[in-house]
Amino acid sequence: MSIISVVGPKGGIGKTTLSINTTAALTRALGSGQDLNRICLVDLDLRLPTITSLLDSHPTKTFYDLFECLGKKVYQVDFLRTVFQTVTWFESYIDGDISASHDKLVDAFNHYKSMNIGLFLSSEFKFGNAIEEMLIQRSEIKTLSQIKALRPAIRKIDLKEYRRLLEKMDETSSPVMEEYINYIEEYGFSIIGGEVPILGKRAHRKRINEPEFLLRFLEFLDGVFQKFEYVIVDTPAGGVNHMSSLMNVIDQVLFVFDLSNTIAINGSIDALHSFIDYYEEFQTDYAKGQLTGLDRAHVNRIIAQKGKGDLYQAIKSKKLSIVFNRCQNNQEIENALKMMRDYLETLDKFHQYKSRIHIVGMVPQHKVINITNNKKSLFYNMDIALSDRMDLIAKSILSDNAICPTLADSDKTIISFLNKFKKPQLLDRLTKKAASSAH
Ligand SMILES: Nc1ncnc2c1ncn2[C@@H]1O[C@H](COP(=O)(O)OP(=O)(O)O)[C@@H](O)[C@H]1O
Ligand SMILES: [Mg+2]
């Protein structure tokens, strides 16, 4: 499995256009094997998802439904389960069955003191009021023996019925992944994501800021990713700040450089810099065992699945890739390369990163894209020259960037790679060479 995140500093530079068409090109490059459903395009733009309408394909369930489900059901059920255990131990203590030093009771007390009530919907559960009453008193209850004051609230909770209700909720609380993945036969790939703005709703904006909620969202995404060989993530402008932990599972970050706009180029370079910073910091914190919060929870789960060595290796070998969009002449490419090299030089990072930054492809400013945009933004297959450009990007991804030049190469080498796409013999030779040197 390989996850490629398409990023850029602002809207309108071609992230969505390139995500869609890269996915289409990858689908063709992988060929029509037995297993058709190998690639998934994820619309991670939670503010303004566009892919479903651009492709005119409408999934039964979107991230909006997912947010509702994860917030209302999954969080609710987990929360109620913790409360159930707490009440059980508290009741035993109040009834005099266990002493104040009982391990489980101490645990329950600590949970009780630190429970996050933010996403709990008390009105949707029969004993919600009693639970709320119990939690409201938290500020006054400082020591374990004081939980005796909770007796009236706890007496209102019928634990047998509570358990029955919980079991019933458990059966229907998890989101069913298949309902969210929409395979489009016409294109041969799947999409998952939005349809309606998600963050417009206050409850959702609140949820996205809750680490507990985010962890569930990431867990769901991880599950989806694992079903596919290639996942292309259309990332919202500016990245996924509230979900930075997501970056830890990404294999390749594809930075879109809009060459028609110098300010946007500076923005893309800045985005590149942010990623370098993030990964360096992450690597150091990971090595020192100093990860916190969501990063830590997420990483622990990945380690449980894949093992520690793999994760560390993956972090160290993250690929940083560049696609030049809206290119009109070679001079623009040279200018952008110079800006990038100068910037990294100033940061004193050029030497370290020049061979890790790959130039994977280029797309010209093209009228077909503007035309198709009015209806659909899938231009792949509508124009041979453009399709060839996309094929080069797909081949780069499939070769794990082994066929691509890097910032360490000369401008001449880079430009000739980006322009010689029409000669498949050359590309094949390069691919073979890369494959043989990889062994
Ligand atoms: N190379 C290009 N040539 C012409 N138009 C382009 C090109 N790349 C993108 N566009 C157009 O620019 C607009 C913004 O692109 P989009 O992919 O939606 O950007 P983003 O996702 O970064 O906001 C769209 O109308 C798209 O069709
Ligand atoms: Mg977009």
Side-chain angles (χ1 to χ4, degrees):
M1 180 196 42
S2 198
I3 305 165
I4 297 119
S5 170
V6 181
V7 307
K10 62 192 263 322
I13 64 171
K15 294 181 297 296
T16 301
T17 308
L18 287 172
S19 302
I20 294 175
N21 290 282
T22 300
T23 307
L26 260 179
T27 306
R28 184 157 84 184
L30 278 178
S32 47
Q34 288 164 327
D35 184 8
L36 289 170
N37 202 3
R38 298 159 81 184
I39 305 176
C40 187
L41 173 60
V42 183
D43 190 348
L44 208 60
D45 198 334
L46 304 176
R47 199 164 283 286
L48 192 61
T50 48
I51 290 179
T52 53
S53 52
L54 284 170
L55 294 181
D56 199 16
S57 177
H58 307 279
T60 354
K61 288 197 173 168
T62 66
F63 280 166
Y64 190 92
D65 305 294
L66 182 67
F67 267 51
E68 296 277 300
C69 175
L70 293 178
K72 274 207 184 115
K73 293 192 183 154
V74 184
Y75 183 82
Q76 185 88 350
V77 173
D78 285 359
F79 184 87
L80 287 174
R81 201 178 289 119
T82 312
V83 172
F84 179 83
Q85 270 143 17
T86 309
V87 173
T88 309
W89 291 111
F90 281 14
E91 194 166 54
S92 301
Y93 174 68
I94 291 169
D95 290 348
D97 296 339
I98 53 173
S99 76
S101 60
H102 195 287
D103 278 0
K104 297 281 188 193
L105 179 67
V106 175
D107 282 352
F109 182 69
N110 291 335
H111 272 306
Y112 167 71
K113 291 295 280 181
S114 63
M115 233 180 269
N116 176 7
I117 195 170
L119 299 167
F120 174 56
L121 302 162
S122 59
S123 61
E124 300 199 353
F125 188 63
K126 184 165 179 187
F127 304 110
N129 283 344
I131 293 172
E132 211 162 75
E133 203 179 310
M134 210 182 114
L135 288 163
I136 281 171
Q137 295 179 58
R138 278 194 293 188
S139 53
E140 289 138 42
I141 296 186
K142 303 210 162 52
T143 63
L144 211 153
S145 63
Q146 290 172 329
I147 60 178
K148 290 195 166 134
L150 298 175
R151 192 193 306 259
I154 285 180
R155 288 286 180 248
K156 290 181 195 157
I157 301 174
D158 174 350
L159 280 175
K160 271 201 188 121
E161 189 178 358
Y162 192 136
R163 188 202 288 270
R164 260 200 316 276
L165 293 171
L166 201 55
E167 278 167 4
K168 227 162 85 195
M169 288 168 83
D170 238 353
E171 285 165 20
T172 55
S173 69
S174 301
V176 180
M177 236 179 263
E178 285 70 21
E179 292 177 355
Y180 294 84
I181 300 170
N182 189 31
Y183 177 67
I184 313 176
E185 194 135 5
E186 184 187 350
Y187 303 135
F189 57 78
S190 291
I191 57 175
I192 181 165
E195 178 91 344
V196 282
I198 299 167
L199 295 184
K201 187 171 167 182
R202 204 173 70 89
H204 288 335
R205 280 201 300 278
K206 194 169 155 193
R207 281 174 188 146
I208 201 79
N209 290 317
E210 296 285 353
E212 273 113 315
F213 178 84
L214 279 179
L215 196 62
R216 284 172 179 84
F217 183 53
L218 292 175
E219 200 175 340
F220 178 86
L221 286 179
D222 277 351
V224 171
F225 292 172
Q226 272 163 40
K227 289 187 176 294
F228 294 91
E229 254 166 78
Y230 285 89
V231 179
I232 308 285
V233 186
D234 183 9
T235 319
V240 283
N241 22 46
H242 39 260
M243 284 185 284
S244 60
S245 299
L246 187 72
M247 296 202 270
N248 304 327
V249 295
I250 291 167
D251 301 287
Q252 175 163 177
V253 190
L254 207 68
F255 296 89
V256 178
F257 276 58
D258 180 350
L259 293 191
S260 70
N261 179 339
T262 319
I263 295 169
I265 297 177
N266 276 324
S268 291
I269 294 176
D270 190 57
L272 183 74
H273 180 194
S274 305
F275 269 81
I276 290 177
D277 267 359
Y278 177 82
Y279 283 131
E280 283 184 352
E281 214 175 287
F282 181 86
Q283 221 167 293
T284 320
D285 288 350
Y286 177 74
K288 289 190 191 155
Q290 285 175 350
L291 287 180
T292 53
L294 189 59
D295 275 347
R296 180 148 126 210
H298 194 218
V299 160
N300 284 343
R301 226 164 37 74
I302 300 173
I303 291 175
Q305 282 166 5
K306 296 187 189 170
K308 221 170 179 151
D310 264 18
L311 178 79
Y312 201 49
Q313 205 44 47
I315 294 166
K316 283 208 297 204
S317 58
K318 297 267 175 213
K319 292 199 179 64
L320 305 168
S321 314
I322 285 165
V323 173
F324 293 124
N325 189 26
R326 289 211 173 95
C327 181
Q328 309 198 63
N329 57 57
N330 291 339
Q331 187 58 48
E332 288 177 350
I333 297 178
E334 284 174 27
N335 289 347
L337 289 170
K338 181 170 185 326
M339 282 166 77
M340 225 180 310
R341 290 192 182 107
D342 287 351
Y343 190 96
L344 289 170
E345 218 42 284
T346 322
L347 296 174
D348 223 6
K349 290 197 187 294
F350 181 65
H351 211 68
Q352 190 188 347
Y353 281 93
K354 61 183 179 189
S355 307
R356 275 188 63 183
I357 300 174
H358 300 255
I359 321 292
V360 299
M362 178 267 265
V363 177
Q365 172 70 29
H366 204 289
K367 64 179 189 311
V368 170
I369 304 182
N370 283 331
I371 295 163
T372 52
N373 176 58
N374 296 332
K375 301 187 200 80
K376 295 181 172 186
S377 78
L378 193 79
F379 60 70
Y380 187 72
N381 263 347
M382 297 183 82
D383 178 291
I384 293 172
L386 271 179
S387 298
D388 282 346
R389 299 286 188 185
M390 295 315 304
D391 285 341
L392 182 65
I393 297 174
K395 279 184 180 156
S396 298
I397 292 172
L398 287 177
S399 79
D400 259 344
N401 287 1
I403 62 165
C404 310
T406 67
L407 264 193
D409 288 303
S410 69
D411 287 4
K412 208 171 140 219
T413 309
I414 294 171
I415 287 170
S416 88
F417 169 79
L418 294 174
N419 286 302
K420 276 183 183 162
F421 63 94
K422 272 184 187 146
K423 292 182 182 162
Q425 310 93 311
L426 175 84
L427 202 61
D428 281 350
R429 269 213 314 278
L430 278 170
T431 318
K432 276 185 198 132
K433 202 173 119 202
S436 65
S437 67
H439 291 299

